[in-house]
Coordinates of all heavy atoms in Angstrom, one line a residue:
M1 N -12.0 12.7 -24.7 CA -11.1 12.1 -25.6 C -11.0 10.6 -25.3 O -10.8 10.2 -24.1 CB -9.7 12.8 -25.4 CG -8.6 12.1 -26.2 SD -7.0 12.8 -25.8 CE -7.0 14.2 -26.9
T2 N -11.0 9.8 -26.3 CA -10.9 8.4 -26.1 C -9.4 8.0 -25.9 O -8.6 8.5 -26.6 CB -11.4 7.6 -27.3 OG1 -12.8 8.0 -27.5 CG2 -11.3 6.1 -27.2
R3 N -9.2 7.2 -24.9 CA -7.8 6.7 -24.7 C -7.5 5.6 -25.6 O -8.3 4.8 -26.0 CB -7.7 6.2 -23.2 CG -7.8 7.3 -22.2 CD -7.7 6.7 -20.9 NE -7.8 7.8 -19.9 CZ -7.7 7.6 -18.6 NH1 -7.6 6.4 -18.1 NH2 -7.7 8.6 -17.7
T4 N -6.2 5.5 -26.0 CA -5.7 4.4 -26.9 C -4.5 3.8 -26.2 O -3.6 4.5 -25.8 CB -5.3 5.0 -28.3 OG1 -6.5 5.7 -28.8 CG2 -4.9 3.9 -29.2
T5 N -4.5 2.5 -26.2 CA -3.3 1.8 -25.6 C -2.7 0.8 -26.5 O -3.3 0.4 -27.6 CB -3.8 1.0 -24.3 OG1 -4.8 0.1 -24.6 CG2 -4.2 2.0 -23.2
R6 N -1.5 0.3 -26.2 CA -0.8 -0.7 -26.9 C -0.3 -1.7 -25.9 O 0.2 -1.3 -24.8 CB 0.3 -0.1 -27.7 CG 1.2 -1.1 -28.5 CD 2.3 -0.4 -29.3 NE 3.3 0.2 -28.4 CZ 3.8 1.4 -28.6 NH1 3.4 2.2 -29.6 NH2 4.7 1.9 -27.8
V7 N -0.3 -3.0 -26.2 CA 0.3 -4.0 -25.3 C 1.5 -4.5 -26.0 O 1.4 -4.9 -27.2 CB -0.8 -5.1 -25.0 CG1 -0.1 -6.2 -24.2 CG2 -2.0 -4.6 -24.3
E8 N 2.6 -4.6 -25.3 CA 3.8 -5.1 -26.0 C 4.7 -5.9 -24.9 O 4.6 -5.6 -23.7 CB 4.7 -4.0 -26.6 CG 5.2 -3.0 -25.6 CD 5.9 -1.8 -26.2 OE1 5.5 -1.4 -27.4 OE2 6.8 -1.3 -25.6
P9 N 5.5 -6.8 -25.4 CA 6.3 -7.6 -24.5 C 7.5 -6.8 -24.1 O 8.0 -5.9 -24.7 CB 6.7 -8.8 -25.4 CG 6.7 -8.3 -26.8 CD 5.6 -7.3 -26.8
V10 N 7.9 -7.1 -22.9 CA 9.2 -6.6 -22.3 C 10.1 -7.8 -22.4 O 9.9 -8.8 -21.8 CB 9.0 -6.1 -20.9 CG1 10.3 -5.7 -20.3 CG2 7.9 -5.0 -20.8
S11 N 11.2 -7.6 -23.1 CA 12.2 -8.7 -23.2 C 13.6 -8.3 -22.9 O 13.9 -7.1 -22.9 CB 12.1 -9.3 -24.6 OG 12.4 -8.3 -25.6
E12 N 14.5 -9.2 -22.8 CA 15.9 -9.0 -22.5 C 16.7 -9.9 -23.2 O 16.5 -11.1 -23.3 CB 16.1 -9.1 -21.0 CG 17.5 -8.9 -20.5 CD 17.6 -9.1 -19.0 OE1 17.0 -8.3 -18.3 OE2 18.2 -10.1 -18.6
D13 N 17.8 -9.4 -23.9 CA 18.7 -10.3 -24.6 C 19.7 -10.9 -23.6 O 20.3 -10.2 -22.8 CB 19.5 -9.5 -25.6 CG 18.7 -9.0 -26.8 OD1 17.7 -9.7 -27.1 OD2 19.0 -8.0 -27.4
Q14 N 19.8 -12.2 -23.7 CA 20.8 -13.0 -22.8 C 21.5 -13.9 -23.7 O 20.9 -15.0 -24.1 CB 20.0 -13.7 -21.7 CG 19.5 -12.8 -20.6 CD 18.9 -13.6 -19.5 OE1 18.7 -14.8 -19.5 NE2 18.6 -12.9 -18.4
E15 N 22.7 -13.7 -23.9 CA 23.6 -14.5 -24.8 C 22.9 -14.8 -26.1 O 22.8 -14.0 -26.9 CB 24.1 -15.7 -24.0 CG 24.9 -15.4 -22.8 CD 25.4 -16.6 -22.0 OE1 25.5 -17.7 -22.6 OE2 25.7 -16.4 -20.8
D16 N 22.5 -16.1 -26.3 CA 22.0 -16.6 -27.5 C 20.4 -16.6 -27.5 O 19.9 -17.1 -28.5 CB 22.5 -18.0 -27.9 CG 24.0 -18.0 -28.1 OD1 24.5 -16.9 -28.5 OD2 24.6 -19.0 -27.9
A17 N 19.8 -16.0 -26.5 CA 18.3 -16.1 -26.5 C 17.7 -14.8 -26.1 O 18.4 -13.9 -25.5 CB 17.9 -17.2 -25.4
I18 N 16.5 -14.6 -26.4 CA 15.7 -13.4 -26.0 C 14.7 -13.9 -24.9 O 13.9 -14.8 -25.2 CB 15.0 -12.7 -27.1 CG1 16.0 -12.2 -28.1 CG2 14.1 -11.6 -26.6 CD1 15.4 -11.6 -29.4
M19 N 14.8 -13.4 -23.7 CA 14.0 -13.8 -22.6 C 12.8 -12.9 -22.5 O 12.9 -11.7 -22.4 CB 14.7 -13.8 -21.3 CG 16.0 -14.7 -21.3 SD 15.7 -16.4 -21.5 CE 14.8 -16.8 -20.0
G20 N 11.6 -13.4 -22.6 CA 10.4 -12.7 -22.3 C 10.1 -12.5 -20.9 O 10.0 -13.5 -20.1
L21 N 10.1 -11.3 -20.4 CA 10.0 -11.1 -18.9 C 8.6 -10.7 -18.5 O 8.2 -11.1 -17.4 CB 11.0 -9.9 -18.5 CG 12.4 -10.2 -18.8 CD1 13.3 -8.9 -18.5 CD2 12.9 -11.4 -18.1
A22 N 7.9 -9.9 -19.3 CA 6.6 -9.4 -18.9 C 5.9 -8.8 -20.1 O 6.4 -8.8 -21.2 CB 6.8 -8.4 -17.8
W23 N 4.7 -8.2 -19.8 CA 3.9 -7.5 -20.8 C 3.6 -6.1 -20.2 O 3.3 -6.0 -19.1 CB 2.6 -8.2 -21.2 CG 2.9 -9.5 -21.9 CD1 3.2 -10.7 -21.3 CD2 3.0 -9.7 -23.3 NE1 3.4 -11.7 -22.3 CE2 3.3 -11.1 -23.5 CE3 2.8 -8.9 -24.4 CZ2 3.4 -11.6 -24.8 CZ3 2.9 -9.4 -25.6 CH2 3.2 -10.8 -25.8
R24 N 3.7 -5.1 -21.1 CA 3.4 -3.8 -20.6 C 2.3 -3.1 -21.4 O 2.2 -3.4 -22.6 CB 4.6 -2.9 -20.5 CG 5.3 -2.6 -21.8 CD 6.5 -1.8 -21.6 NE 7.2 -1.5 -22.9 CZ 8.2 -0.7 -23.0 NH1 8.7 -0.1 -21.9 NH2 8.7 -0.5 -24.2
V25 N 1.6 -2.3 -20.7 CA 0.5 -1.5 -21.3 C 1.0 -0.1 -21.5 O 1.5 0.5 -20.5 CB -0.8 -1.5 -20.5 CG1 -1.9 -0.7 -21.1 CG2 -1.3 -3.0 -20.2
I26 N 0.9 0.4 -22.7 CA 1.4 1.8 -23.0 C 0.2 2.6 -23.5 O -0.5 2.2 -24.4 CB 2.4 1.7 -24.2 CG1 3.5 0.7 -23.9 CG2 3.0 3.1 -24.5 CD1 4.7 1.1 -23.3
D27 N 0.1 3.8 -22.9 CA -0.9 4.8 -23.3 C -0.3 5.5 -24.5 O 0.7 6.2 -24.4 CB -1.2 5.7 -22.2 CG -2.3 6.8 -22.6 OD1 -2.6 6.9 -23.8 OD2 -2.9 7.4 -21.7
V28 N -0.9 5.3 -25.7 CA -0.4 6.0 -26.9 C -1.5 7.0 -27.5 O -1.5 7.3 -28.6 CB 0.0 5.0 -28.0 CG1 1.2 4.2 -27.6 CG2 -1.2 4.0 -28.4
T29 N -2.3 7.5 -26.6 CA -3.3 8.5 -26.9 C -2.6 9.6 -27.6 O -3.1 10.1 -28.6 CB -4.1 8.9 -25.7 OG1 -4.7 7.8 -25.1 CG2 -5.2 9.9 -26.1
D30 N -1.5 10.1 -27.1 CA -0.7 11.1 -27.7 C 0.5 10.4 -28.3 O 1.4 10.0 -27.5 CB -0.2 12.1 -26.7 CG 0.7 13.2 -27.3 OD1 1.0 13.1 -28.5 OD2 1.0 14.2 -26.6
P31 N 0.6 10.1 -29.6 CA 1.7 9.3 -30.2 C 3.0 9.9 -29.9 O 4.0 9.2 -30.0 CB 1.3 9.2 -31.6 CG 0.0 9.9 -31.8 CD -0.4 10.5 -30.6
D32 N 3.1 11.2 -29.7 CA 4.4 11.8 -29.5 C 4.9 11.7 -28.0 O 6.0 12.1 -27.7 CB 4.3 13.3 -29.8 CG 4.0 13.5 -31.3 OD1 4.5 12.7 -32.1 OD2 3.3 14.5 -31.7
A33 N 4.0 11.2 -27.1 CA 4.4 11.1 -25.7 C 3.8 9.8 -25.1 O 2.9 9.9 -24.2 CB 3.9 12.4 -25.0
P34 N 4.2 8.7 -25.6 CA 3.6 7.4 -25.0 C 4.1 7.3 -23.6 O 5.2 7.7 -23.2 CB 4.2 6.3 -25.9 CG 5.4 6.9 -26.5 CD 5.2 8.4 -26.6
Q35 N 3.2 6.7 -22.7 CA 3.5 6.5 -21.3 C 3.1 5.1 -20.9 O 2.1 4.6 -21.2 CB 2.6 7.5 -20.5 CG 2.9 8.9 -20.7 CD 2.0 9.8 -19.8 OE1 1.0 9.4 -19.3 NE2 2.4 11.0 -19.7
E36 N 4.1 4.4 -20.2 CA 3.8 3.1 -19.7 C 2.8 3.2 -18.5 O 3.0 4.0 -17.6 CB 5.1 2.4 -19.2 CG 4.8 1.0 -18.7 CD 6.1 0.3 -18.3 OE1 7.1 0.4 -19.0 OE2 6.0 -0.5 -17.3
I37 N 1.7 2.4 -18.6 CA 0.7 2.4 -17.6 C 0.9 1.3 -16.6 O 0.7 1.6 -15.4 CB -0.7 2.3 -18.3 CG1 -1.0 3.4 -19.3 CG2 -1.8 2.3 -17.2 CD1 -0.8 4.8 -18.8
S38 N 1.2 0.1 -17.0 CA 1.3 -1.0 -16.1 C 2.1 -2.1 -16.8 O 2.3 -2.1 -18.0 CB 0.0 -1.5 -15.7 OG -0.8 -1.9 -16.8
R39 N 2.6 -3.1 -15.9 CA 3.3 -4.3 -16.4 C 2.6 -5.5 -15.8 O 2.1 -5.5 -14.7 CB 4.7 -4.3 -15.9 CG 5.6 -3.3 -16.7 CD 7.1 -3.5 -16.4 NE 7.8 -2.5 -17.2 CZ 9.0 -2.7 -17.7 NH1 9.6 -3.9 -17.5 NH2 9.6 -1.8 -18.3
H40 N 2.6 -6.6 -16.5 CA 1.9 -7.8 -16.1 C 2.7 -9.0 -16.5 O 3.5 -9.0 -17.5 CB 0.5 -7.9 -16.8 CG -0.3 -6.6 -16.6 ND1 -1.1 -6.5 -15.5 CD2 -0.3 -5.5 -17.2 CE1 -1.6 -5.3 -15.5 NE2 -1.2 -4.7 -16.6
N41 N 2.6 -10.1 -15.8 CA 3.3 -11.4 -16.1 C 2.7 -12.1 -17.3 O 3.5 -12.7 -18.0 CB 3.2 -12.3 -14.9 CG 4.0 -11.8 -13.7 OD1 5.0 -11.1 -13.9 ND2 3.6 -12.0 -12.5
L42 N 1.4 -12.0 -17.6 CA 0.8 -12.7 -18.6 C 0.1 -11.7 -19.6 O -0.4 -10.7 -19.2 CB -0.3 -13.7 -18.1 CG 0.2 -14.7 -17.1 CD1 -0.9 -15.5 -16.5 CD2 1.2 -15.6 -17.8
E43 N 0.2 -12.1 -20.9 CA -0.4 -11.2 -21.9 C -1.9 -11.0 -21.7 O -2.4 -9.9 -21.8 CB -0.2 -11.8 -23.3 CG -0.7 -10.9 -24.4 CD -0.4 -11.5 -25.8 OE1 -0.3 -12.7 -25.9 OE2 -0.5 -10.7 -26.8
P44 N -2.7 -12.0 -21.4 CA -4.2 -11.8 -21.2 C -4.4 -10.8 -20.1 O -5.4 -10.0 -20.1 CB -4.7 -13.1 -20.8 CG -3.8 -14.1 -21.4 CD -2.4 -13.5 -21.3
E45 N -3.6 -10.8 -19.0 CA -3.7 -9.8 -17.9 C -3.5 -8.4 -18.5 O -4.2 -7.4 -18.1 CB -2.8 -10.1 -16.8 CG -3.1 -11.3 -16.0 CD -2.0 -11.7 -15.0 OE1 -0.9 -10.9 -15.0 OE2 -2.1 -12.6 -14.3
A46 N -2.5 -8.2 -19.3 CA -2.1 -6.9 -19.9 C -3.2 -6.4 -20.8 O -3.6 -5.3 -20.8 CB -0.8 -7.0 -20.6
I47 N -3.8 -7.4 -21.6 CA -4.9 -7.0 -22.5 C -6.1 -6.5 -21.7 O -6.7 -5.5 -22.0 CB -5.2 -8.2 -23.4 CG1 -4.1 -8.4 -24.4 CG2 -6.6 -7.9 -24.2 CD1 -4.2 -9.7 -25.2
E48 N -6.4 -7.2 -20.6 CA -7.6 -6.8 -19.8 C -7.3 -5.4 -19.2 O -8.2 -4.6 -19.1 CB -7.9 -7.8 -18.7 CG -9.0 -7.5 -17.9 CD -10.4 -7.4 -18.6 OE1 -10.5 -8.0 -19.7 OE2 -11.3 -6.8 -18.0
A49 N -6.1 -5.2 -18.7 CA -5.7 -3.9 -18.1 C -5.9 -2.8 -19.1 O -6.3 -1.7 -18.8 CB -4.3 -4.0 -17.5
A50 N -5.4 -3.1 -20.4 CA -5.6 -2.1 -21.4 C -7.0 -1.8 -21.7 O -7.4 -0.6 -21.9 CB -4.9 -2.6 -22.7
R51 N -7.9 -2.8 -21.8 CA -9.3 -2.5 -22.0 C -9.9 -1.7 -20.9 O -10.7 -0.8 -21.1 CB -10.0 -3.9 -22.1 CG -9.8 -4.6 -23.4 CD -10.6 -5.8 -23.5 NE -10.4 -6.5 -24.8 CZ -10.7 -7.7 -25.0 NH1 -11.1 -8.5 -24.1 NH2 -10.5 -8.2 -26.2
L52 N -9.6 -2.0 -19.6 CA -10.1 -1.3 -18.5 C -9.6 0.2 -18.5 O -10.4 1.1 -18.3 CB -9.7 -1.9 -17.2 CG -10.4 -3.3 -16.9 CD1 -9.8 -3.9 -15.7 CD2 -11.9 -3.2 -16.8
Y53 N -8.4 0.4 -18.9 CA -7.8 1.7 -18.9 C -8.5 2.5 -20.0 O -8.8 3.7 -19.8 CB -6.3 1.7 -19.2 CG -5.7 3.0 -19.2 CD1 -5.4 3.7 -18.0 CD2 -5.3 3.6 -20.4 CE1 -4.8 5.0 -18.1 CE2 -4.7 4.9 -20.5 CZ -4.5 5.5 -19.3 OH -3.9 6.8 -19.3
E54 N -8.7 1.9 -21.2 CA -9.4 2.6 -22.3 C -10.8 3.0 -22.0 O -11.4 3.9 -22.5 CB -9.3 1.8 -23.6 CG -7.9 1.7 -24.2 CD -7.9 0.9 -25.4 OE1 -8.9 0.2 -25.8 OE2 -6.8 0.9 -26.1
A55 N -11.5 2.2 -21.1 CA -12.9 2.4 -20.7 C -13.0 3.5 -19.7 O -14.1 4.1 -19.6 CB -13.5 1.1 -20.2
E56 N -12.0 3.8 -19.0 CA -12.1 4.9 -18.0 C -12.2 6.3 -18.7 O -11.6 6.5 -19.7 CB -10.8 5.0 -17.1 CG -10.6 3.8 -16.2 CD -9.3 3.9 -15.4 OE1 -8.6 4.9 -15.5 OE2 -9.0 2.9 -14.8
P57 N -13.1 7.1 -18.1 CA -13.2 8.5 -18.7 C -11.9 9.3 -18.6 O -11.2 9.2 -17.6 CB -14.3 9.1 -18.0 CG -14.5 8.3 -16.7 CD -13.9 7.0 -17.0
S58 N -11.6 10.1 -19.6 CA -10.4 10.9 -19.5 C -10.7 12.1 -18.6 O -11.8 12.6 -18.6 CB -10.1 11.4 -20.9 OG -9.1 12.3 -20.9
N59 N -9.7 12.5 -17.9 CA -9.8 13.6 -17.0 C -9.3 14.9 -17.6 O -9.2 15.9 -16.9 CB -9.1 13.4 -15.6 CG -9.7 12.2 -14.9 OD1 -10.9 12.1 -14.9 ND2 -8.9 11.5 -14.1
E60 N -9.0 14.9 -18.9 CA -8.4 16.1 -19.5 C -9.5 17.1 -19.6 O -10.6 16.9 -20.1 CB -8.0 15.7 -20.9 CG -7.3 16.8 -21.7 CD -6.8 16.3 -23.0 OE1 -6.4 15.2 -23.1 OE2 -6.9 17.1 -23.9
P61 N -9.3 18.3 -19.1 CA -10.3 19.4 -19.1 C -10.7 19.7 -20.5 O -9.9 19.9 -21.4 CB -9.6 20.6 -18.5 CG -8.4 20.0 -17.7 CD -8.0 18.8 -18.4
G62 N -12.0 19.9 -20.7 CA -12.5 20.3 -22.0 C -12.6 19.1 -23.0 O -12.9 19.4 -24.2
S63 N -12.2 17.9 -22.6 CA -12.2 16.8 -23.6 C -13.6 16.3 -23.8 O -14.5 16.4 -22.9 CB -11.3 15.7 -23.2 OG -11.8 15.1 -22.0
D64 N -13.9 15.8 -25.0 CA -15.2 15.2 -25.3 C -15.4 13.9 -24.5 O -14.4 13.3 -24.1 CB -15.2 14.8 -26.8 CG -15.2 16.0 -27.7 OD1 -15.7 17.1 -27.2 OD2 -14.7 15.9 -28.8
P65 N -16.6 13.5 -24.2 CA -16.9 12.3 -23.5 C -16.2 11.1 -24.3 O -16.2 11.1 -25.5 CB -18.4 12.2 -23.5 CG -18.9 13.5 -23.8 CD -17.8 14.2 -24.6
D66 N -15.8 10.1 -23.5 CA -15.2 8.9 -24.1 C -16.2 8.1 -24.9 O -17.4 8.0 -24.5 CB -14.5 8.0 -23.1 CG -13.3 8.6 -22.5 OD1 -12.7 9.6 -23.2 OD2 -12.8 8.2 -21.5
D67 N -15.8 7.5 -25.9 CA -16.6 6.5 -26.7 C -16.6 5.2 -25.9 O -15.6 4.7 -25.5 CB -15.9 6.3 -28.0 CG -16.7 5.3 -28.9 OD1 -17.8 4.8 -28.5 OD2 -16.2 5.0 -30.0
T68 N -17.8 4.8 -25.5 CA -17.9 3.6 -24.7 C -18.1 2.3 -25.5 O -18.3 1.3 -24.9 CB -19.0 3.7 -23.7 OG1 -20.2 3.9 -24.4 CG2 -18.8 4.9 -22.7
Q69 N -17.9 2.4 -26.8 CA -18.1 1.2 -27.6 C -17.0 0.2 -27.3 O -15.8 0.5 -27.2 CB -18.0 1.6 -29.1 CG -18.1 0.4 -30.0 CD -18.0 0.8 -31.5 OE1 -18.0 2.0 -31.7 NE2 -17.9 -0.1 -32.4
D70 N -17.3 -1.1 -27.1 CA -16.4 -2.2 -26.9 C -16.4 -3.1 -28.2 O -17.4 -3.7 -28.4 CB -16.7 -2.9 -25.7 CG -15.7 -4.0 -25.4 OD1 -14.7 -4.1 -26.1 OD2 -15.9 -4.7 -24.4
D71 N -15.4 -3.1 -28.9 CA -15.3 -3.9 -30.1 C -14.9 -5.3 -29.9 O -14.0 -5.9 -30.5 CB -14.4 -3.3 -31.1 CG -14.8 -1.9 -31.6 OD1 -16.0 -1.7 -31.6 OD2 -14.0 -1.0 -31.9
D72 N -15.5 -6.0 -28.9 CA -15.2 -7.4 -28.6 C -16.0 -8.3 -29.5 O -17.2 -8.5 -29.4 CB -15.6 -7.6 -27.1 CG -15.1 -9.0 -26.7 OD1 -14.7 -9.8 -27.5 OD2 -15.3 -9.3 -25.5
A73 N -15.3 -8.9 -30.4 CA -15.9 -9.8 -31.5 C -16.5 -11.0 -30.9 O -17.3 -11.7 -31.5 CB -14.9 -10.1 -32.5
S74 N -16.2 -11.4 -29.6 CA -16.7 -12.6 -29.0 C -18.2 -12.4 -28.6 O -18.9 -13.3 -28.3 CB -15.9 -13.0 -27.8 OG -16.0 -12.0 -26.8
Q75 N -18.6 -11.1 -28.6 CA -20.0 -10.9 -28.2 C -20.9 -11.1 -29.4 O -20.7 -10.5 -30.5 CB -20.2 -9.5 -27.6 CG -19.5 -9.2 -26.3 CD -19.6 -7.8 -25.9 OE1 -20.0 -6.9 -26.6 NE2 -19.3 -7.5 -24.6
E76 N -22.0 -11.8 -29.2 CA -22.9 -12.1 -30.3 C -23.6 -10.9 -30.7 O -24.1 -10.1 -29.9 CB -23.9 -13.2 -29.8 CG -24.8 -13.7 -30.9 CD -25.7 -14.8 -30.4 OE1 -25.2 -15.6 -29.6 OE2 -26.8 -14.9 -30.9
G77 N -23.7 -10.7 -32.0 CA -24.4 -9.6 -32.6 C -23.7 -8.2 -32.6 O -24.3 -7.2 -33.1
V78 N -22.5 -8.1 -32.1 CA -21.8 -6.9 -32.1 C -21.4 -6.5 -33.5 O -20.8 -7.3 -34.2 CB -20.5 -7.0 -31.1 CG1 -19.7 -5.7 -31.3 CG2 -21.0 -7.2 -29.7
G79 N -21.7 -5.3 -33.9 CA -21.3 -4.8 -35.2 C -22.2 -5.2 -36.3 O -21.9 -4.9 -37.4
K80 N -23.3 -5.9 -36.0 CA -24.2 -6.3 -37.1 C -25.4 -5.4 -37.1 O -25.9 -5.0 -36.1 CB -24.6 -7.7 -36.8 CG -23.5 -8.7 -36.9 CD -24.0 -10.1 -36.7 CE -22.8 -11.1 -36.8 NZ -23.2 -12.5 -36.6
R81 N -25.9 -5.1 -38.3 CA -27.0 -4.3 -38.4 C -28.3 -5.1 -38.7 O -28.2 -6.1 -39.4 CB -26.8 -3.3 -39.6 CG -25.8 -2.3 -39.4 CD -25.7 -1.4 -40.6 NE -24.6 -0.5 -40.4 CZ -24.2 0.4 -41.3 NH1 -24.8 0.4 -42.5 NH2 -23.2 1.2 -41.1
D82 N -29.4 -4.7 -38.1 CA -30.6 -5.3 -38.4 C -31.2 -4.6 -39.6 O -31.6 -3.5 -39.6 CB -31.6 -5.2 -37.2 CG -31.1 -6.0 -36.1 OD1 -30.5 -7.1 -36.3 OD2 -31.4 -5.6 -34.9
E83 N -31.4 -5.3 -40.7 CA -31.9 -4.7 -41.9 C -33.1 -5.5 -42.4 O -33.3 -6.6 -42.3 CB -30.9 -4.7 -43.0 CG -29.7 -3.8 -42.7 CD -28.7 -3.7 -43.8 OE1 -29.0 -3.7 -45.0 OE2 -27.5 -3.6 -43.4

């Protein structure tokens, strides 16, 4: 089973301002039971952690092998067909 994550800010309301405290990675593979995986000070760190977590194989018994496709648009030629 392919893992799916979401990166979202952790914030706190303080009087007239909203303070951004951190970024967290949430496993939303099962949308009915999201689980926080990690917290990070910077968004790029959280995004990288999410990518690494999604790339790890799932240990769920009987699950299909994970899809190892990385949809990183910064890589040249990714998603293009030779016709």
Side-chain angles (χ1 to χ4, degrees):
M1 171 187 280
T2 302
R3 295 177 175 181
T4 305
T5 59
R6 176 179 71 223
V7 174
E8 62 183 34
V10 177
S11 58
E12 179 179 293
D13 290 332
Q14 290 186 347
E15 296 181 23
D16 294 335
I18 297 176
M19 303 295 294
L21 301 176
W23 292 87
R24 64 183 178 175
V25 178
I26 310 265
D27 181 344
V28 292
T29 304
D30 179 356
D32 295 327
Q35 297 179 342
E36 182 175 322
I37 303 304
S38 59
R39 286 190 183 213
H40 305 271
N41 292 328
L42 302 173
E43 183 181 22
E45 293 172 356
I47 291 170
E48 181 63 20
R51 285 183 177 160
L52 292 172
Y53 182 78
E54 288 179 351
E56 291 177 8
S58 175
N59 293 328
E60 185 177 325
S63 67
D64 294 330
D66 286 346
D67 179 4
T68 58
Q69 177 181 355
D70 184 4
D71 295 328
D72 186 353
S74 67
Q75 294 177 345
E76 189 174 322
V78 172
K80 296 182 180 179
R81 294 184 185 172
D82 293 329
E83 293 183 35

